[in-house]
Amino acid sequence: MSRTDTAIEEPAEPVDPEADQPPPSDDHAFLGHPRGLATLSGLEVWERFSFLGMQAILVLYFADAVADGGLGMDPGTAASVAAAYGTMVYLVSVAGGWLADRILGSYRAVLWGGILIACGHYAMAVPTAAMTWTGLGLISAGTGLLKPNVASMVGKLYRTSDDRRDAGFALYYMAINIGAFAGPLITGWLGEHQGWHWGFSAAALGMTAGLVQYVLGRRHLAGRKHSAEYALAPDAMRRAVRRIVAGLLGAGALATLLAALGWLTMGRFVDLLTLVSVIAPVVYFAVMFRSPRVTREERGRLRPYVVLFLASVAFNFILFQAYSTMMLLASTNARTEILGFHFPASWYASALGAFEVALAPVVAALWAKMGRRQPHASNKIAIGVVLGGLSFLLMVIPTSGHGGEAYRMAAWWIVGSYLLLGLGDVLLETSGMSATTKLAPRAFASQTMALWFLSLALANGIQAQVVKVYGHVSTPAYFGVNGAIAVAAGLAVFALAPWLRRTMHPVH
């Protein structure tokens, strides 16, 4: 029977008039916030548990000897490959927001993203190199779908006039850092005591737990309908899906061919990702500056945002090394005991999440108390960048005058470095995201997360090249030069403060 003379039609998607509406304003079921915040925060706890728990041991797994279950990479190469993985995650995140808006819808994008992440961690639990690379590819794709869309779903829980919105996001970001704290504790202990793939298994179980509670709490979410919010027309959607599938298959076939011919090596793949991470933001900004839909006033606000974008790159270049070079340094040159208690080196990564959980409410309360007297957004970002640089400069002191792995610094040096880095992250990330949403042109308002993710991708892309020299230059020189550059970048933002305050108006 043809579709034109149908007596029986396909069942339509069930109508749920509340699917796209925020919960009632009297929904205070979760700490005074909508019940859906518990669902999304719970998902992020487990997603960060799995992602950062895995990342805390990934570079150690890469660098460990093959005989001990690792991949036997040179430390610099291990850090470079781990950074390239981060680059790929954030580049895919740019596409993840578009797919949710145009094809999948937020709920399904997050669901399928979580499924891909879980499958990736299960793949990495299999002790073969091939399954490791397969798993990292799946996790990259899944995180790209999940990460940019969970935050947008949190925003949909509140009406524009709801005063609880900022506090809700504060709780949500605290959940992120709880996962960042807990993940390395579990995966790190399993990885270093039972085997790296046991750690990856724990990450898989964590993501599975997050998915289960996400599905069970679905009815409390706004934006839970199956169709996309700004869906393409049916014909255009079919064409887009065909092109995406064809492009992925074509890219996979080309990569396989080039790898078989010996041209696409791991090193060249890392270099390619770095190149893309540089080109993408340049193209993105060029499109915005030249777009006829961007007004002269909006174009004027884009110029200061370029400065803040570069400040984010400088800081996150340091921050992401908390899970690469700092982990390598902790495993070879730091004591793994405090007050007689011995712990895995990867547990140092948990200190960063712990400091951010503790410091975020303190900083938020300080800004609330200061009101209009609080520093301008650009100065908060500058302070964050300087603190990031100081966290690396601090490592020059305990590593100077020592060579090899015989010397072990006290644990407090690395803990102190992470304290500076955690405070810098709290200052920069909250102010940077807020500035992004306020300075982006109206025509590109729905793509503000893409802008922020491109700064993270570029930071990882640069890191993928710089960390190659780790282990080939002296440790004090490595941390000293990188830390000094970050401090200089932060001071440059301070120097531009008068111009930034003038051109960013009315952003405070």
Side-chain angles (χ1 to χ4, degrees):
M1 181 181 292
S2 71
R3 291 188 64 88
T4 55
D5 55 8
T6 101
I8 301 174
E9 296 185 2
E10 292 182 6
E13 181 182 323
V15 176
D16 183 356
E18 297 182 353
D20 277 333
Q21 298 300 315
S25 57
D26 61 353
D27 182 354
H28 296 79
F30 177 61
L31 301 177
H33 292 267
R35 192 172 303 173
L37 184 62
T39 299
L40 296 175
S41 297
L43 176 66
E44 271 291 13
V45 167
W46 289 111
E47 189 275 331
R48 289 291 92 180
F49 173 96
S50 65
F51 183 84
L52 295 176
M54 181 273 289
Q55 200 166 18
I57 62 174
L58 185 64
V59 71
L60 301 178
Y61 163 64
F62 284 162
D64 201 10
V66 175
D68 295 327
L71 295 185
M73 293 183 183
D74 169 84
T77 301
S80 180
V81 173
Y85 159 68
T87 306
M88 189 160 59
V89 165
Y90 290 111
L91 286 174
V92 175
S93 295
V94 176
W98 183 87
L99 286 171
D101 281 346
R102 302 295 188 182
I103 296 178
L104 293 173
S106 297
Y107 175 80
R108 284 196 299 178
V110 171
L111 177 63
W112 283 108
I115 290 172
L116 288 174
I117 293 171
C119 289
H121 286 302
Y122 282 117
M124 292 188 70
V126 179
T128 66
M131 293 303 286
T132 293
W133 304 124
T134 300
L136 288 176
L138 290 171
I139 295 168
S140 298
T143 305
L145 276 175
L146 183 146
K147 195 64 181 168
N149 294 305
V150 177
S152 68
M153 292 184 74
V154 172
K156 292 175 183 177
L157 294 173
Y158 302 91
R159 288 172 171 79
T160 306
S161 59
D162 196 328
D163 293 335
R164 299 176 297 166
R165 177 186 290 264
D166 288 351
F169 270 99
L171 284 173
Y172 167 71
Y173 285 119
M174 187 173 291
I176 290 176
N177 289 316
I178 289 172
F181 167 71
L185 294 179
I186 305 299
T187 61
W189 190 90
L190 287 171
E192 295 191 34
H193 287 85
Q194 302 297 321
W196 302 117
H197 297 280
W198 281 94
F200 300 144
S201 298
L205 293 174
M207 191 64 238
T208 302
L211 276 173
V212 169
Q213 67 89 41
Y214 176 67
V215 173
L216 292 177
R218 176 178 185 268
R219 67 185 183 277
H220 304 300
L221 303 175
R224 61 183 179 271
K225 71 176 186 178
H226 289 296
S227 59
E229 189 171 357
Y230 304 102
L232 297 171
D235 288 343
M237 185 177 294
R238 282 191 288 270
R239 285 196 303 271
V241 171
R242 283 197 297 266
R243 288 172 181 172
I244 291 171
V245 172
L248 290 174
L249 292 176
L254 179 61
T256 301
L257 176 62
L258 293 176
L261 294 174
W263 189 90
L264 186 61
T265 61
M266 180 60 69
R268 284 176 176 167
F269 182 67
V270 170
D271 294 342
L272 178 62
L273 285 175
T274 296
L275 181 63
V276 173
S277 75
V278 173
I279 293 174
V282 171
V283 171
Y284 214 99
F285 276 113
V287 168
M288 286 193 294
F289 272 111
R290 296 180 180 181
S291 174
R293 296 182 296 163
V294 176
T295 67
R296 181 179 179 182
E297 182 181 356
E298 289 176 330
R299 198 170 285 113
R301 287 201 296 267
L302 265 180
R303 294 186 181 94
Y305 183 72
V306 172
V307 175
L308 303 186
F309 179 92
L310 294 175
S312 170
V313 172
F315 175 79
N316 283 293
F317 166 75
I318 300 291
L319 176 68
F320 291 141
Q321 291 192 63
Y323 298 95
S324 59
T325 54
M326 288 291 286
M327 281 295 93
L328 292 169
L329 180 67
S331 68
T332 57
N333 291 101
R335 296 175 187 169
T336 52
E337 66 169 281
I338 293 180
L339 302 177
F341 175 74
H342 292 266
F343 56 90
S346 53
W347 277 21
Y348 279 114
S350 288
L352 186 59
F355 285 133
E356 293 190 12
V357 169
L359 292 170
V362 175
V363 171
L366 177 63
W367 297 154
K369 184 176 181 179
M370 294 181 70
R372 298 295 297 178
R373 294 181 293 107
Q374 65 183 276
H376 187 263
S378 63
N379 284 339
K380 294 177 186 176
I381 290 172
I383 295 170
V385 178
V386 170
L387 288 171
L390 291 176
S391 74
F392 260 34
L393 288 177
L394 181 64
M395 302 314 300
V396 174
I397 301 173
T399 57
S400 295
H402 303 283
E405 299 180 8
Y407 170 72
R408 299 273 173 166
M409 73 181 81
W412 302 111
W413 287 107
I414 292 184
V415 171
S417 176
Y418 279 174
L419 172 61
L420 292 171
L421 196 56
L423 179 57
D425 194 29
V426 169
L427 292 173
L428 185 136
E429 297 298 335
T430 53
S431 300
M433 274 303 302
S434 176
T436 299
T437 58
K438 294 173 182 175
L439 295 175
R442 185 181 300 274
F444 292 84
S446 64
Q447 301 174 52
T448 52
M449 286 301 292
L451 268 175
W452 192 251
F453 283 129
L454 283 177
S455 76
L456 306 183
L458 180 54
N460 264 312
I462 295 171
Q463 183 202 168
Q465 300 304 316
V466 174
V467 295
K468 291 178 181 179
V469 303
Y470 182 80
H472 299 284
V473 299
S474 72
T475 302
Y478 180 85
F479 286 101
V481 171
N482 285 310
I485 291 173
V487 169
L491 294 177
V493 178
F494 271 124
L496 291 170
W499 175 76
L500 289 169
R501 278 195 295 269
R502 186 173 65 255
T503 54
M504 288 174 66
H505 183 77
V507 177
H508 183 267

